[in-house]
Amino acid sequence: MESWVLWSGNGNPFGSKGKWLVRVENVKDCRTEVYQVEFVILCIGLYSGCPNIPDFPPDQGPEMFNGKVMHSMEYSAMDNLKAIEFIKRKRITIIGSQKTALDIAAECANINGFQYPCTMIQRTARWQIHGENICGINLGFLYLNRFSEFLIHKPGETFLLSLLATLLSPLRWGISKFLECYLRWKLPLKKYGIIPKSSFLQDISSCRTCKLPENFYDKVEEGSIIIKKANSFSFCKQGLIIDRESQPLETDLVIFATGFKGEEKIRNIFESPFLQKCITGSKARISLYRQVIHPRIPQLAVIGYAESLSYLYATEIRCRWLAEFLDGKFELPHVTEMEKQVSIWENFMKKHNGNSRRECISNIHIWGNDQLCKDMGCEPRRKRGFFADLFLPYGPTDYVELC
């Protein structure tokens, strides 16, 4: 595998003589069966299975707490009636600031009201949007069309595109500042001390922006939701100690909405230590060509690793690309070329996503789709007319009838 010039030996999906052995356990009778297959597609996603829970020093973790501690994964697995009964008349604390934390806080506020307020503990504030329109302008016209991508330096771009992105950088900065000013005016971020330190462009480029639940800040105003900024916290018998305060935050239930370790989940699927090392190496991020294929692991594809403003949209077009590849419509390039492309995209991710492990392509999703279309032999420009293709937002309907 390490010496191959072409993926799977010949650049085709079924070139290698090797087979995958898939061990499956029946959860009803705990019986294990082994299946031999020629190609494996991992469609397990990144947001399940392996919760990301912070580590705590001795005698400061959940074991010190008399109440209940759980991850959002456990809460989301409950049906609606069970979840309502579970959180009813409880003092609840949620750790996190992203979409899951906001949604759970809104649910708790709807059920318990201000009699049993829900507290959100945030370390880092992120930009939040309350709708698809900003001052009557659809966000798609600012971040989801080809012109918006001319403002961004893209992986593998030509010199002219790079020069254009540099020349248009003041416009890129101005759009971001305009949205920040609007959100600071529209939302009570200053009042509650949660103005993000990062720019709107940084957050949307790393898939860290999120849409607010309906009437979220109305619930904050009435006292049903309490937002607390904290650099650190630890557990005690009564609840949580925030930033070493003398008085603990008393609570009955703590829910970690702190995400998942998707890379660890994928790595642990493999029994082979060689494959475990190969899939992630020494990096936190999984290196995939077109966010689907690992250059060194044959007869395997990963679906659902690329993130965008529309997760299903980004996943579906890669499913189509994979189906065309499995059907023999195109071959993969040399392994070294794929690794070169992966490295270029990784450098782009590091620049825009920072330390985040997320494979976010939200600000260049059209650029990524263009490459997939070219691989499949399809026309990448999906709209009629020069100006329509340049300024109108791109969405799932543009790729309904590829080729």
Side-chain angles (χ1 to χ4, degrees):
M1 286 165 53
E2 291 183 312
S3 63
W4 277 345
V5 174
L6 292 171
W7 191 79
S8 197
N10 62 0
N12 293 314
F14 306 104
S16 171
K17 295 180 180 179
K19 305 287 185 182
W20 286 102
L21 297 179
V22 182
R23 182 175 287 108
V24 180
E25 180 180 315
N26 190 319
V27 295
K28 293 183 178 180
D29 56 17
C30 295
R31 197 162 42 87
T32 300
E33 296 182 8
V34 178
Y35 298 88
Q36 182 175 283
V37 299
E38 294 186 44
F39 202 99
V40 172
I41 305 174
L42 298 179
C43 304
I44 57 177
L46 295 174
Y47 302 111
S48 65
C50 193
N52 179 35
I53 297 178
D55 295 323
F56 295 90
D59 300 327
Q60 295 184 27
E63 71 278 0
M64 305 298 296
F65 180 43
N66 287 337
K68 171 76 173 176
V69 179
M70 66 191 309
H71 191 267
S72 59
M73 179 179 70
E74 300 175 64
Y75 177 77
S76 63
M78 300 179 184
D79 60 49
N80 289 340
L81 291 178
K82 185 177 180 180
I84 291 172
E85 289 300 318
F86 183 73
I87 65 178
K88 188 180 291 183
R89 298 188 183 89
K90 284 188 175 72
R91 297 169 298 178
I92 299 171
T93 301
I94 301 169
I95 312 297
S97 59
Q98 295 287 286
K99 179 62 175 171
T100 301
L102 296 171
D103 287 344
I104 296 176
E107 288 183 18
C108 294
N110 288 334
I111 294 168
N112 290 329
F114 61 86
Q115 292 90 350
Y116 295 89
C118 172
T119 302
M120 287 185 64
I121 306 297
Q122 298 185 356
R123 182 175 61 182
T124 305
R126 298 296 181 188
W127 290 104
Q128 305 155 348
I129 55 177
H130 57 89
E132 297 180 355
N133 293 320
I134 302 293
C135 287
I137 304 173
N138 190 291
L139 275 175
F141 288 96
L142 300 178
Y143 287 103
L144 298 177
N145 58 12
R146 287 192 182 276
F147 180 77
S148 67
E149 295 194 3
F150 283 150
L151 313 182
I152 305 292
H153 287 285
K154 296 169 285 296
E157 65 188 357
T158 63
F159 172 76
L160 289 178
L161 287 176
S162 177
L163 178 62
L164 183 61
T166 300
L167 294 175
L168 293 175
S169 60
L171 180 59
R172 179 176 68 226
W173 177 88
I175 292 174
S176 178
K177 289 305 173 184
F178 163 72
L179 291 171
E180 291 170 27
C181 292
Y182 172 81
L183 292 173
R184 291 177 66 170
W185 167 72
K186 193 70 176 178
L187 303 175
L189 303 180
K190 184 177 181 180
K191 179 178 180 179
Y192 296 104
I194 51 173
I195 296 177
K197 294 182 179 180
S198 55
S199 68
F200 186 88
L201 178 63
Q202 287 174 316
D203 280 2
I204 199 170
S205 298
S206 56
C207 294
R208 288 190 175 109
T209 56
C210 55
K211 188 175 180 180
L212 285 168
E214 190 174 354
N215 302 321
F216 179 83
Y217 280 103
D218 292 341
K219 296 178 177 66
V220 176
E221 292 282 351
E222 72 181 19
S224 300
I225 299 175
I226 299 171
I227 301 176
K228 283 183 173 289
K229 284 289 298 294
N231 294 318
S232 64
F233 68 92
S234 59
F235 285 86
C236 63
K237 289 184 178 181
Q238 298 92 338
L240 297 171
I241 299 175
I242 310 297
D243 289 337
R244 302 183 183 274
E245 294 178 355
S246 57
Q247 193 70 22
L249 171 65
E250 296 185 5
T251 188
D252 302 311
L253 170 65
V254 176
I255 302 177
F256 281 101
T258 46
F260 295 84
K261 298 178 181 178
E263 294 79 9
E264 183 175 321
K265 179 179 66 173
I266 293 176
R267 183 173 61 248
N268 291 340
I269 281 180
F270 299 98
E271 288 189 357
S272 164
F274 172 79
L275 291 175
Q276 289 179 349
K277 181 180 179 181
C278 192
I279 193 70
T280 55
S282 59
K283 305 178 290 296
R285 187 179 288 117
I286 297 176
S287 303
L288 299 175
Y289 176 72
R290 301 293 195 247
Q291 292 82 44
V292 179
I293 296 290
H294 191 286
R296 293 288 176 181
I297 303 181
Q299 297 161 229
L300 176 81
V302 180
I303 290 295
Y305 192 62
E307 292 187 71
S308 187
L309 296 179
S310 175
Y311 192 72
L312 290 175
Y313 167 29
T315 298
E316 185 175 357
I317 192 168
R318 279 159 183 80
C319 288
R320 176 63 184 271
W321 179 89
L322 179 60
E324 295 287 307
F325 172 59
L326 292 174
D327 200 31
K329 298 294 180 60
F330 63 91
E331 295 181 357
L332 296 178
H334 287 195
V335 170
T336 52
E337 175 60 27
M338 288 197 289
E339 290 179 331
K340 178 183 175 182
Q341 290 295 320
V342 168
S343 178
I344 291 173
W345 278 77
E346 279 190 341
N347 292 333
F348 171 83
M349 299 295 175
K350 289 177 183 178
K351 179 179 178 181
H352 290 273
N353 298 3
N355 295 325
S356 173
R357 303 189 304 270
R358 306 173 84 156
E359 192 87 355
C360 181
I361 57 171
S362 66
N363 56 351
I364 54 164
H365 77 288
I366 303 175
W367 179 259
N369 290 346
D370 285 354
Q371 295 181 336
L372 298 175
C373 288
K374 291 174 183 177
D375 289 345
M376 294 184 283
C378 303
E379 172 56 49
R381 298 187 178 276
R382 310 303 302 172
K383 296 185 182 295
R384 296 181 179 179
F386 174 79
F387 290 102
D389 190 68
L390 187 62
F391 294 109
L392 290 182
Y394 264 71
T397 56
D398 293 301
Y399 299 93
V400 169
E401 297 180 0
L402 282 174
C403 302

